[in-house]
Amino acid sequence: MFKNCLENVRNTVPLVHNITNYVTVNDVANVILACGGSPIMSDEAEDVEDITSVCGGLNINIGTLHKTSIEAMFRAGRRANELAHPILLDPVGAGASALRTKTALSLMTELKLSAVRGNISEVKTLARGSGTTKGVDADVADAVTEESLDDSVAFVKEFAQKARCIIAVTGAIDLVSDGKLCYVIRNGRPEMGKITGTGCQLSGIMAAYLTANPSAQLEAAAAAVCMMGLAGEIGWSRMQEGDGNSTYRNRIIDAVCNMTGEELEKGAKYELR
Amino acid sequence: MFKNCLENVRNTVPLVHNITNYVTVNDVANVILACGGSPIMSDEAEDVEDITSVCGGLNINIGTLHKTSIEAMFRAGRRANELAHPILLDPVGAGASALRTKTALSLMTELKLSAVRGNISEVKTLARGSGTTKGVDADVADAVTEESLDDSVAFVKEFAQKARCIIAVTGAIDLVSDGKLCYVIRNGRPEMGKITGTGCQLSGIMAAYLTANPSAQLEAAAAAVCMMGLAGEIGWSRMQEGDGNSTYRNRIIDAVCNMTGEELEKGAKYELR
Amino acid sequence: MFKNCLENVRNTVPLVHNITNYVTVNDVANVILACGGSPIMSDEAEDVEDITSVCGGLNINIGTLHKTSIEAMFRAGRRANELAHPILLDPVGAGASALRTKTALSLMTELKLSAVRGNISEVKTLARGSGTTKGVDADVADAVTEESLDDSVAFVKEFAQKARCIIAVTGAIDLVSDGKLCYVIRNGRPEMGKITGTGCQLSGIMAAYLTANPSAQLEAAAAAVCMMGLAGEIGWSRMQEGDGNSTYRNRIIDAVCNMTGEELEKGAKYELR
């Protein structure tokens, strides 16, 4: 039950080590706190092994890669693997540059990941081993729609099997699969795309959920997706005349902060395939 | 017409590559989304050429220079020039340190810029080729006032001719010139100076406008200045008792998000000299 | 009087150089503006001496250390010492990694600091010269409580004497001592811990207060702690149904922005020991 997943986060306050981009890092920290976790950020290679060791999970986001932070990602990842901590990879902009694509693929090869969360274009790039995406947003041609849903579910399942980790593709319809089952999730609002970093925020939440729910990883990942989408719906319902994307950002994090297990259970819109 | 400039941004969703400071980067991303563009951030030298290639314009902001990001600025800039993308330079703190002054001057020399946007002290530093400024805010002695307006307009026109690009000096009165004409703009609120990064945000908006309006660069730059100033006025009108600079920041971005072409056209306060 | 300390900040607009983490840097900049100061950020070793020279005080925060920024901290610190500028150290995560502990200790040894502000676990690590903390939050076992208050006051006084600077330990009860006197402060709200960076923000405010009040350093440090705590109380009183930690963050900075000397004087809850 998603309710349990949420409550496990709030009760255990998982400490999540984030190596993430400097664009959305503050929102990632606040949303991890909002969902019940505790964030710590460190991307200096000489610092990350110690930091990962005091944490319970690792969130790697390649949104603003630096050569020095790449080394930090591998060192933190290897240490997290030794400690059997869950690792989530958010391959921001994979396909938009050779460095991003190469780094994301190497992280998938050299580390044992628990989950990869990205938009459909980023995930297709990783599945193909190469590719192009238009910036950090998903290409319209790739979008998961009701029409392409069967194919998309099959694709995500297959890639999850091949990658041996949970694959979460988020967009208008979200897909979360461990290779066997696939959650098809219809929470969220299109206006969330007008805020920078809602994807990064979801990755932070998901890392906290994975850390707090070791025996229910797929369900935890899906619950995180539903929480973020539902928060987008609740936040939107509180918008007043004159409010725009900056206020919406605050209201979404506020909604995560106030969400109870019952509300998540009731508001989650998904089917299992 | 400013209305067209705004609508060209909303209709074409220009992708803007930002190499910017980590202080205000989140606000820059959100305000570019708010005005209708799409931001992507990358400042790793090995990443920037690919990223600039998938974008339509480049916004270079030296607010927190690093030796590595300086290299990225030049590499991205050269690639943007090859692709004939507009480049905007925001010389944050030029005059406050030798590194900032030297870097800004080198960027102006080695790259073909479309526009430079800064406060009067920063722009005077660039025009003189050296100088001192008090931190990141304009020196009071330099301020563009009604009394000094004729001289200031002449200075900005002359520097725009010499620099062969649009010069935008923003403050209580804003001046935007391509060397022939000069927009004198009186939108905005003094309280905007109590928020970090309203200048950086304007540079982000201006880069989006320049990218979406290739055949009307001066008008696009002036429209961006009016949009930011008008958003400052609208945001201020929505302030309630107990609100301060943090809420004001949100309300300004919200106002950018909701502004229509008609509102911009009607609210813009400028004269042409 | 705390009223004077606040008004000295608003009247002199102290320019504060911040070498700080990229997680909370935007909030630090906005809260320094809110309290009446003017922030500038620079952490490139080749830039910091010039920047510190145009400022009046220096705020060093090790929340996201990089090897390059460590060098910048020492270079800026030495220059600030030459100029007799106050330096505040915020040892974020000292005890959580060897690099953080070692860097904080070296900064304390090689620079003449005016103040160190951290949570009890971080400060105990520095006092012992080594130690472990659980991430960036204080360990519950270390907490300053009514029961442990006498011992905690004695500890802080002793460490302040040994370190020859003001020691500010913040948490449910805050202690600020110069080795002779100790302010015991009971402002604030527990919900402030659900926002990232309220400690970093306080350090920014404190650096501004120290800079603007050269002849009343202990009182200035205590006034800053009371201001932040009182802002947390005022911000909380403005929370509405559905608001969460993101809105709370804005309301706290807003409250700093609007606070008068009289309000601070009246709302400050402290005793001197």
Side-chain angles (χ1 to χ4, degrees):
Chain A
M1 292 211 311
F2 287 178
K3 177 175 179 293
N4 291 346
C5 294
L6 182 155
E7 289 172 355
N8 286 339
V9 177
R10 298 225 193 264
N11 293 334
T12 64
V13 193
L15 202 52
V16 178
H17 176 195
N18 299 272
I19 303 179
T20 187
N21 68 75
Y22 59 87
V23 184
T24 66
V25 59
N26 184 267
D27 292 330
V28 169
N30 273 324
V31 89
I32 288 176
L33 285 161
C35 80
S38 179
I40 183 162
M41 275 65 182
S42 169
D43 60 3
E44 162 58 46
E46 293 196 8
D47 197 48
V48 292
E49 287 161 322
D50 282 356
I51 296 298
T52 269
S53 300
V54 298
C55 291
L58 176 63
N59 174 29
I60 299 177
N61 175 306
I62 66 166
T64 49
L65 276 182
H66 292 113
K67 267 183 279 185
T68 52
S69 62
I70 293 171
E71 186 194 342
M73 289 171 186
F74 284 100
R75 285 175 71 164
R78 284 188 211 107
R79 186 83 187 103
N81 276 167
E82 286 168 14
L83 298 165
H85 293 175
I87 305 176
L88 180 142
L89 172 66
D90 187 334
V92 183
S97 77
L99 183 69
R100 290 168 191 245
T101 306
K102 190 182 70 177
T103 302
L105 289 169
S106 297
L107 288 164
M108 291 192 73
T109 306
E110 297 196 22
L111 301 176
K112 177 170 168 25
L113 303 178
S114 297
V116 174
R117 192 219 61 82
N119 68 40
I120 183 68
S121 299
E122 292 159 350
V123 174
K124 282 196 170 172
T125 295
L126 299 182
R128 275 192 305 256
S130 68
T132 56
T133 60
K134 191 193 168 228
V136 288
D137 293 315
D139 199 317
V140 175
D142 289 333
V144 179
T145 61
E146 298 295 348
E147 289 70 37
S148 69
L149 189 55
D150 287 346
D151 288 351
S152 298
V153 168
F155 159 72
V156 171
K157 278 189 181 176
E158 192 184 347
F159 184 42
Q161 280 166 22
K162 192 179 147 206
R164 299 186 181 202
C165 72
I166 293 167
I167 300 294
V169 172
T170 56
I173 301 172
D174 309 309
L175 305 176
V176 184
S177 177
D178 63 356
K180 293 178 202 138
L181 294 169
C182 184
Y183 282 87
V184 177
I185 298 170
R186 291 185 175 82
N187 286 104
R189 296 275 320 175
E191 293 83 359
M192 296 171 81
K194 288 279 279 185
I195 303 168
T196 192
T198 47
C200 305
Q201 289 179 41
L202 170 52
S203 291
I205 294 174
M206 193 180 287
Y209 269 72
L210 291 169
T211 305
N213 292 280
S215 61
Q217 296 280 283
L218 178 64
E219 197 173 18
V225 172
C226 289
M227 182 186 228
M228 188 69 195
L230 182 57
E233 298 169 25
I234 294 168
W236 187 254
S237 73
R238 297 185 65 229
M239 294 285 277
Q240 300 179 347
E241 193 173 334
D243 288 349
N245 64 333
S246 190
T247 291
Y248 189 29
R249 179 256 308 265
N250 293 315
R251 293 205 188 285
I252 292 173
I253 299 175
D254 285 354
V256 169
C257 189
N258 289 315
M259 196 176 294
T260 64
E262 284 76 17
E263 286 168 337
L264 175 59
E265 195 75 39
K266 197 173 160 189
K269 299 184 195 116
Y270 65 91
E271 55 175 314
L272 255 174
R273 293 215 187 178
Chain B
M1 291 215 310
F2 287 178
K3 177 174 179 291
N4 290 346
C5 293
L6 181 156
E7 289 172 355
N8 285 338
V9 177
R10 299 226 193 263
N11 293 334
T12 64
V13 194
L15 202 51
V16 179
H17 176 195
N18 300 272
I19 303 179
T20 188
N21 68 76
Y22 60 86
V23 184
T24 65
V25 59
N26 185 268
D27 293 330
V28 169
N30 273 325
V31 88
I32 289 176
L33 284 161
C35 80
S38 179
I40 181 161
M41 275 65 181
S42 169
D43 60 3
E44 163 57 48
E46 292 197 8
D47 197 47
V48 292
E49 288 161 322
D50 282 357
I51 295 299
T52 270
S53 300
V54 297
C55 290
L58 176 61
N59 174 30
I60 299 177
N61 175 308
I62 66 166
T64 50
L65 276 182
H66 291 114
K67 267 183 279 185
T68 52
S69 62
I70 293 171
E71 186 194 344
M73 290 170 185
F74 284 100
R75 286 176 71 165
R78 285 188 210 106
R79 186 85 187 103
N81 275 169
E82 286 169 14
L83 298 165
H85 292 176
I87 305 177
L88 179 142
L89 171 65
D90 187 334
V92 183
S97 77
L99 183 69
R100 290 167 191 245
T101 306
K102 190 181 70 176
T103 302
L105 289 169
S106 296
L107 288 164
M108 290 193 73
T109 307
E110 297 197 22
L111 301 177
K112 180 175 168 17
L113 303 179
S114 297
V116 174
R117 191 220 61 83
N119 67 40
I120 182 68
S121 299
E122 292 158 350
V123 173
K124 282 195 170 173
T125 294
L126 299 181
R128 276 192 304 255
S130 69
T132 56
T133 60
K134 192 194 167 225
V136 290
D137 294 316
D139 198 319
V140 174
D142 290 334
V144 178
T145 61
E146 298 296 347
E147 290 69 38
S148 71
L149 189 54
D150 287 346
D151 288 350
S152 298
V153 168
F155 159 72
V156 171
K157 278 190 182 178
E158 193 185 345
F159 184 42
Q161 280 166 23
K162 192 180 146 206
R164 299 186 180 200
C165 72
I166 293 168
I167 301 295
V169 172
T170 56
I173 302 172
D174 309 308
L175 306 175
V176 185
S177 176
D178 63 354
K180 293 177 201 137
L181 294 170
C182 184
Y183 282 86
V184 177
I185 298 171
R186 291 187 175 81
N187 286 105
R189 295 275 321 176
E191 294 83 359
M192 296 170 80
K194 289 279 280 185
I195 303 167
T196 191
T198 47
C200 305
Q201 289 179 41
L202 170 52
S203 291
I205 293 175
M206 194 180 286
Y209 269 73
L210 292 169
T211 306
N213 292 281
S215 61
Q217 295 281 284
L218 178 64
E219 198 174 16
V225 173
C226 289
M227 182 186 228
M228 188 69 195
L230 183 56
E233 298 170 23
I234 294 168
W236 188 255
S237 73
R238 297 186 64 229
M239 294 286 277
Q240 299 179 345
E241 194 173 334
D243 288 349
N245 64 333
S246 191
T247 291
Y248 189 29
R249 179 255 309 266
N250 292 316
R251 294 206 188 285
I252 292 173
I253 299 176
D254 286 354
V256 170
C257 189
N258 288 316
M259 197 177 293
T260 64
E262 284 77 16
E263 287 167 336
L264 175 58
E265 195 76 39
K266 198 174 159 189
K269 299 185 195 113
Y270 65 91
E271 55 176 316
L272 255 176
R273 294 218 185 175
Chain C
M1 291 214 310
F2 288 179
K3 177 174 179 292
N4 290 345
C5 293
L6 181 156
E7 289 172 354
N8 286 338
V9 177
R10 298 224 193 266
N11 292 334
T12 64
V13 194
L15 202 52
V16 178
H17 177 195
N18 300 272
I19 303 180
T20 188
N21 69 75
Y22 60 86
V23 184
T24 65
V25 59
N26 185 268
D27 293 329
V28 170
N30 273 324
V31 89
I32 289 176
L33 285 161
C35 80
S38 179
I40 182 161
M41 276 66 181
S42 169
D43 61 2
E44 162 58 47
E46 294 196 6
D47 197 47
V48 292
E49 288 161 322
D50 282 357
I51 295 298
T52 270
S53 299
V54 297
C55 290
L58 176 61
N59 174 30
I60 299 177
N61 175 308
I62 67 166
T64 50
L65 275 183
H66 291 114
K67 266 182 278 185
T68 52
S69 63
I70 293 171
E71 186 194 343
M73 290 170 185
F74 284 100
R75 286 176 69 165
R78 284 188 210 106
R79 185 87 187 100
N81 274 167
E82 287 168 14
L83 298 165
H85 293 176
I87 305 177
L88 180 143
L89 171 65
D90 187 334
V92 183
S97 77
L99 183 68
R100 290 167 190 245
T101 305
K102 190 181 69 176
T103 302
L105 289 169
S106 296
L107 289 164
M108 290 193 74
T109 306
E110 297 198 21
L111 302 177
K112 180 176 165 18
L113 302 179
S114 297
V116 174
R117 192 220 61 83
N119 67 40
I120 182 67
S121 299
E122 292 159 350
V123 173
K124 282 197 170 171
T125 295
L126 298 181
R128 276 192 304 256
S130 69
T132 56
T133 61
K134 193 194 166 221
V136 289
D137 294 316
D139 200 318
V140 174
D142 290 333
V144 178
T145 61
E146 299 295 347
E147 290 68 38
S148 69
L149 189 55
D150 287 346
D151 288 350
S152 298
V153 168
F155 159 72
V156 171
K157 277 190 183 177
E158 192 184 348
F159 185 42
Q161 281 166 22
K162 192 179 147 205
R164 299 188 180 198
C165 71
I166 292 167
I167 301 293
V169 171
T170 57
I173 301 172
D174 309 308
L175 304 176
V176 184
S177 177
D178 62 355
K180 291 176 203 138
L181 294 170
C182 183
Y183 283 85
V184 177
I185 298 170
R186 291 186 174 82
N187 286 106
R189 295 275 320 175
E191 294 84 358
M192 296 171 81
K194 289 279 280 186
I195 303 168
T196 191
T198 47
C200 304
Q201 289 178 42
L202 170 53
S203 290
I205 293 174
M206 193 180 286
Y209 269 72
L210 292 169
T211 306
N213 292 282
S215 61
Q217 295 281 283
L218 178 64
E219 196 174 16
V225 172
C226 289
M227 183 188 227
M228 188 69 194
L230 183 57
E233 298 169 24
I234 295 168
W236 188 255
S237 73
R238 297 186 64 229
M239 294 285 279
Q240 300 179 345
E241 193 173 333
D243 288 349
N245 63 334
S246 191
T247 291
Y248 189 29
R249 179 256 307 266
N250 293 314
R251 294 205 189 284
I252 292 173
I253 299 175
D254 286 355
V256 170
C257 189
N258 288 315
M259 196 176 294
T260 64
E262 284 77 15
E263 286 167 338
L264 175 58
E265 195 75 38
K266 197 175 159 187
K269 300 185 194 113
Y270 64 92
E271 54 176 315
L272 255 175
R273 294 215 187 178

